Amino acid sequence: MAKPKLALYWAASCGGCEIAVLDLHEKILDVANAFDIVFWPVALDFKYHDVRAMEDKSIDICLFNGAIVNSENEEMAHLMRNKSKLVVAFGACAHEGGIPGLANLTTKDAILKWVFKDSPSTVNNNGTYPQTHTKMPEGEIEIPEMWETVKSLNQVIDVDYYIPGCPPQPDQIWGVIEYILSGQPLPAKGATLGAGDKTCCEECPRERKEKKLKQFFRPYEIFSDPNECLLDQGIICLGPASRSGCGALCPKANIPCRGCYGAPPNCPDQGAKMVSAISSVIDAHEPEEIEKILDQIVDPLGTFYRFSVPQSILRRVEKI
């Protein structure tokens, strides 16, 4: 009996999702035994033309990580959709746009200007910017065109399932693989796999008393109590606005939840959920005092929407 065919691809991401797969350790051998890995450019020598030559829907499962930032990402998303029976948005960037999605808080022109002209480490006396097509003696070079707006995978192609996390935790990845290999019926299309159905707070061992706050701190500004809720101590922790599934790894390590598992179930906007959580703990009634307390939160937009700008109600800023 032929093995099911598995493909893994990364678009705009850091590569952490690929490392998370390798973090299965010896179980990666079980993956290799159970699947015929037909495309995994980060680990094996496959080329794009190998995929183009495959018959449509000949790949059983594609784990696609990374946001859609440029023309190459989008072309590959459509290609993998055509060649795969099931496409899984794998990791925070494919799921909700992730860290690359923060680019939607500015413009393409502003990003290129900073990177190729204004940043302190840049020396570009000729003001050269990258061009999508450049003629060289050896021939014409083509690089992908950067899009103005970063998108999550489901904003470009039809997605069957989602595995959130930055990166998805290896035990959760293995749990999904085990389930698939068991032959049990797959969940309904659109389901989130490898994650819980509550908030990160509900799997966090710290005690929460929902204290009222007059001051917020960045983690390095105070010595926090290891047993007390970080938000109760004035540290911005996205646990109330994040889906469970990671085991509250960051709060257990004295680091506030950053929200990488995305919004909890039935919540359309993670940032708005966090604004609601913050509003409920502020100890002030006068507008001036409320504003003074909120001003202590550094970069609230980037903090509350760190992983979810493209998938949020905001999608992107229109003017800067």
Side-chain angles (χ1 to χ4, degrees):
M1 181 177 176
K3 298 179 183 177
K5 291 182 170 56
L6 173 68
L8 301 96
Y9 183 74
W10 70 355
S13 70
C14 67
C17 293
E18 309 278 354
I19 301 302
V21 175
L22 296 176
D23 279 345
L24 293 173
H25 299 303
E26 68 274 8
K27 288 188 173 63
I28 194 69
L29 299 177
D30 296 327
V31 175
N33 286 332
F35 293 95
D36 181 9
I37 300 176
V38 296
F39 187 54
W40 193 7
V42 76
L44 301 168
D45 186 20
F46 293 108
K47 309 299 183 188
Y48 289 176
H49 61 74
D50 296 324
V51 181
R52 294 188 183 103
M54 297 177 187
E55 293 184 8
D56 287 354
K57 308 304 180 189
S58 60
I59 299 172
D60 292 283
I61 303 173
C62 172
L63 301 182
F64 191 108
N65 77 83
I68 307 302
V69 173
N70 59 39
S71 55
E72 181 186 30
N73 300 155
E74 185 158 347
E75 177 187 353
M76 288 304 298
H78 286 289
L79 179 63
M80 299 313 296
R81 176 68 276 182
N82 290 338
K83 301 298 181 184
S84 306
K85 295 171 185 169
L86 295 176
V87 172
V88 179
F90 184 67
C93 296
H95 177 213
E96 294 195 319
I99 296 295
L102 290 172
N104 289 0
L105 301 181
T106 183
T107 66
K108 170 183 170 181
D109 287 344
I111 292 171
L112 293 176
K113 183 172 181 290
W114 173 258
V115 172
F116 293 100
K117 184 179 179 183
D118 295 340
S119 79
S121 60
T122 298
V123 177
N124 184 4
N125 296 328
N126 296 325
T128 303
Y129 278 59
Q131 305 297 312
T132 55
H133 293 81
T134 303
K135 290 185 178 179
M136 303 292 291
E138 298 80 5
E140 188 172 84
I141 297 173
E142 179 182 0
I143 62 172
E145 180 180 359
M146 178 180 172
W147 293 155
E148 180 70 38
T149 297
V150 178
K151 296 179 180 177
S152 55
L153 185 60
N154 68 356
Q155 291 171 335
V156 174
I157 61 169
D158 186 37
V159 170
D160 296 291
Y161 297 109
Y162 302 86
I163 299 180
C166 181
Q169 291 306 298
D171 63 318
Q172 294 283 17
I173 298 172
W174 179 246
V176 173
I177 292 172
E178 270 193 316
Y179 186 90
I180 293 171
L181 293 177
S182 73
Q184 298 179 65
L186 294 175
K189 181 174 178 175
T192 298
L193 310 177
D197 57 4
K198 300 178 180 178
T199 67
C200 182
C201 287
E202 294 183 65
E203 58 183 0
C204 178
R206 291 170 177 267
E207 183 181 9
R208 188 176 185 194
K209 299 179 180 177
E210 298 191 8
K211 292 180 178 178
K212 295 295 183 181
L213 302 171
K214 287 185 176 295
Q215 189 171 5
F216 289 102
F217 304 94
R218 305 191 80 176
Y220 66 87
E221 293 178 322
I222 63 169
F223 289 102
S224 60
D225 184 327
N227 299 313
E228 185 179 357
C229 168
L230 290 167
L231 188 58
D232 275 354
Q233 298 178 69
I235 298 172
I236 300 295
C237 179
L238 265 68
S242 301
R243 182 186 283 268
S244 60
C246 66
L249 288 175
C250 291
K252 287 179 181 174
N254 220 26
I255 299 296
C257 171
R258 290 151 46 89
C260 73
Y261 264 64
N266 303 316
C267 174
D269 191 296
Q270 187 177 29
K273 175 77 172 175
M274 194 60 205
V275 169
S276 174
I278 292 293
S279 301
S280 68
V281 299
I282 290 179
D283 185 13
H285 299 284
E286 298 301 322
E288 294 79 9
E289 187 178 9
I290 294 173
E291 187 171 350
K292 184 177 179 181
I293 294 173
L294 291 177
D295 282 346
Q296 299 167 9
I297 302 175
V298 178
D299 187 19
L301 189 57
T303 300
F304 300 164
Y305 289 94
R306 180 181 280 119
F307 294 95
S308 64
V309 176
Q311 196 66 28
S312 70
I313 296 171
L314 301 174
R315 297 286 176 101
R316 65 160 300 112
V317 298
E318 296 301 325
K319 294 181 180 179
I320 60 172

